[in-house]
Amino acid sequence: MEKKVLFCATKDYHFEAFHLPYFKWFKEQGYKVHTAAHGELNLPFVDKKHVIPIQRSPFKKENIMAYKELKYIIDNNNFQIIHCHTPMGGVLGRLAGRKARARDTKMLYTAHGFHFCKGAPLLNWLVYYPIEKSLARMTDCLITINTEDFQLAIQRNFRAQEITHIHGVGVDTNQYHPVSTIKKTELRIEKDYCDDDFIMFYAAEFNKNKNQQLLLRAFSLIKDEVKNARLLLAGDGPLLDECKKLADSLGIGNKVDFLGFRKDIDELLKISDLAVASSLREGLPVNIMEAMACGLPIIANDNRGHRELVSNGQNGWLIKGNDEKSLAGKVIKLAGNVAMRKTLGECSHKMIERKYSTKKILEAKSEIYRTYMVDTEERVWGIH
């Protein structure tokens, strides 16, 4: 009997962005790789792609149809392992897989940052907390990606068979890495920036949580002090136009570049001097890990995901209370001190190499997968 694994998530771009190395690893172990998500991307290392109408909001009626389709897929395939990702992927995958789990299919779920956490809105606790705690009973392995979520799941007595912690999804350090001064200059010329520009960078969707308004307000406070400063904001989203209007009203429209959706994030990081992050909530942000891998110091709004990655005075600073004046002060401090930027950036790079690279995460994940492979292979091949 052939061995099969199913990865389930809300959108298929989640797989493209974070999980291809793990698809490849399963292929190397002799597994057929299936995916279930919304979207039409052509994904490598995938034997069967199931497109289901799953939606991000738990209140969308399309999720009822997605559940029925997913249940049919699971009931008609003898998956040895199902690994769910994203909140709705985790909900529907575990509900649809109850019968399969009773037949010894192993159910894994990675919480990419619980929606309920310290400082989260009460509504998040009322909606998401009881759902996640209930579904933990249907989970063989609950994987958390930051310390706060891991401790919360333990302290709140989530009844998954196993609760573990790994350091995110990994960063490809072959793509994201520091470059020489000469290479940095060449890339800046290619992208129409000057060698003496002080470039700050942030890549994120323009939405309420990502909070780019904080960066714009802080930047308006440094524009006269750091005259060569430029703020690069990559991404699209519902608040993009509002942020453009805010930049103009603050008198910084000519110094802020709204780059839209980009596929050259690695190059944009390599031309930058500083990565900034303004989000209110994060699980373990890949955009910050990518910046750290490129050897950048980080100034970030204080939240659980940023606390996992940024140590004050070591590779950057955390800003308490959404404080644009404090953020601006740290930027000014770094803008005038090349040696400090270099020291902090080297620390960032070493942290990624030590704990957060794709290689390190693949080692940790494969150890988890192998634990459940032993059980399922014994079942498949009748080994006792």
Side-chain angles (χ1 to χ4, degrees):
M1 186 183 298
E2 68 180 5
K3 298 176 292 185
K4 292 187 284 188
V5 59
L6 173 67
F7 284 80
C8 179
T10 306
K11 303 291 185 183
D12 59 1
Y13 61 72
H14 183 85
F15 299 138
E16 183 181 55
F18 306 125
H19 299 296
L20 297 185
Y22 312 106
F23 293 0
K24 180 175 183 288
W25 184 85
F26 266 106
K27 293 287 290 179
E28 291 169 350
Q29 312 311 307
Y31 274 67
K32 297 289 186 182
V33 175
H34 290 227
T35 62
H38 186 66
E40 302 291 343
L41 289 175
N42 183 23
L43 299 170
F45 312 116
V46 172
D47 297 284
K48 179 67 175 178
K49 188 173 190 291
H50 305 276
V51 180
I52 60 175
I54 184 171
Q55 300 296 310
R56 181 179 295 178
S57 169
F59 307 109
K60 294 285 189 179
K61 62 182 181 181
E62 290 90 343
N63 285 323
I64 297 173
M65 181 61 70
Y67 165 76
K68 292 178 179 178
E69 292 183 14
L70 186 56
K71 187 175 187 303
Y72 179 84
I73 292 164
I74 293 173
D75 288 346
N76 287 275
N77 285 276
N78 186 26
F79 294 114
Q80 282 72 55
I81 295 173
I82 299 173
H83 194 166
C84 302
H85 298 269
T86 70
M88 283 309 300
V91 169
L92 297 188
R94 285 178 286 178
L95 288 175
R98 285 175 294 175
K99 185 188 293 185
R101 188 165 176 259
R103 300 193 305 263
D104 268 353
T105 294
K106 300 304 178 183
M107 184 69 69
L108 282 63
Y109 170 56
T110 296
H112 294 271
F114 288 136
H115 278 28
F116 47 92
C117 59
K118 294 176 183 175
L122 177 61
L123 181 62
N124 286 23
W125 281 91
L126 293 175
V127 174
Y128 292 103
Y129 174 73
I131 292 173
E132 288 287 5
K133 185 164 186 179
S134 176
L135 289 174
R137 297 174 181 270
M138 307 175 194
T139 310
D140 291 290
C141 185
L142 170 59
I143 301 170
T144 58
I145 63 170
N146 62 63
T147 303
E148 185 177 312
D149 283 355
F150 176 70
Q151 292 174 344
L152 186 153
I154 297 293
Q155 293 166 359
R156 297 275 179 155
N157 199 27
F158 278 40
R159 294 191 178 276
Q161 292 296 308
E162 179 185 3
I163 301 172
T164 190
H165 174 209
I166 62 173
H167 298 293
V169 295
V171 177
D172 182 356
T173 52
N174 291 319
Q175 181 178 3
Y176 294 91
H177 56 80
V179 293
S180 67
T181 303
I182 294 174
K183 181 63 177 177
K184 183 175 181 177
T185 298
E186 290 175 353
L187 287 171
R188 284 193 173 197
I189 292 171
E190 288 177 15
K191 298 184 184 298
D192 294 325
Y193 292 101
C194 298
D195 206 29
D196 62 349
D197 285 337
F198 178 72
I199 297 178
M200 305 157 56
F201 183 74
Y202 185 47
E205 181 182 9
F206 281 80
N207 61 38
K208 184 177 179 181
N209 179 54
K210 298 306 181 182
N211 191 31
Q212 282 90 346
Q213 296 91 334
L214 171 64
L215 300 180
L216 295 171
R217 292 194 299 268
F219 192 86
S220 71
L221 300 177
I222 71 163
K223 67 179 189 298
D224 295 327
E225 185 94 18
V226 188
K227 296 186 182 299
N228 60 336
R230 297 193 69 90
L231 176 61
L232 278 54
L233 298 174
D236 291 320
L239 297 186
L240 175 58
D241 288 340
E242 182 179 311
C243 285
K244 288 180 178 179
K245 290 176 184 176
L246 177 61
D248 289 336
S249 70
L250 292 170
I252 55 175
N254 63 333
K255 290 180 173 288
V256 179
D257 293 338
F258 294 91
L259 304 175
F261 176 78
R262 300 293 289 251
K263 291 191 173 182
D264 59 345
I265 296 297
D266 59 325
E267 293 186 350
L268 291 167
L269 287 168
K270 289 166 186 173
I271 69 169
S272 299
D273 299 294
L274 168 67
V276 288
S278 49
S279 53
L280 302 172
R281 294 177 304 281
E282 290 289 355
L284 192 71
V286 172
N287 58 348
I288 297 304
M289 289 191 286
E290 290 171 346
M292 291 168 62
C294 289
L296 295 184
I298 312 295
I299 300 178
N301 214 14
D302 187 22
N303 63 49
R304 64 177 166 174
H306 292 160
R307 284 193 294 272
E308 198 91 357
L309 297 169
V310 181
S311 298
N312 283 321
Q314 294 185 34
N315 69 321
W317 290 281
L318 294 168
I319 304 303
K320 299 283 187 181
N322 219 29
D323 184 353
E324 64 259 30
K325 290 183 180 178
S326 178
L327 199 160
K330 295 301 185 185
V331 171
I332 291 170
K333 185 174 183 178
L334 274 184
N337 195 326
V338 176
M340 181 181 289
R341 296 203 303 267
K342 184 173 185 294
T343 299
L344 296 177
E346 287 175 349
C347 181
S348 280
H349 180 248
K350 288 176 182 177
M351 285 176 64
I352 295 298
E353 290 282 3
R354 187 170 67 250
K355 293 200 297 186
Y356 299 99
S357 69
T358 299
K359 179 182 177 182
K360 292 290 186 183
I361 302 305
L362 182 55
E363 290 173 359
K365 272 194 177 179
S366 61
E367 186 175 334
I368 294 171
Y369 287 140
R370 283 195 178 98
T371 299
Y372 295 102
M373 284 177 174
V374 170
D375 291 343
T376 56
E377 287 174 6
E378 287 178 355
R379 172 171 57 84
V380 170
W381 301 111
I383 299 171
H384 300 286

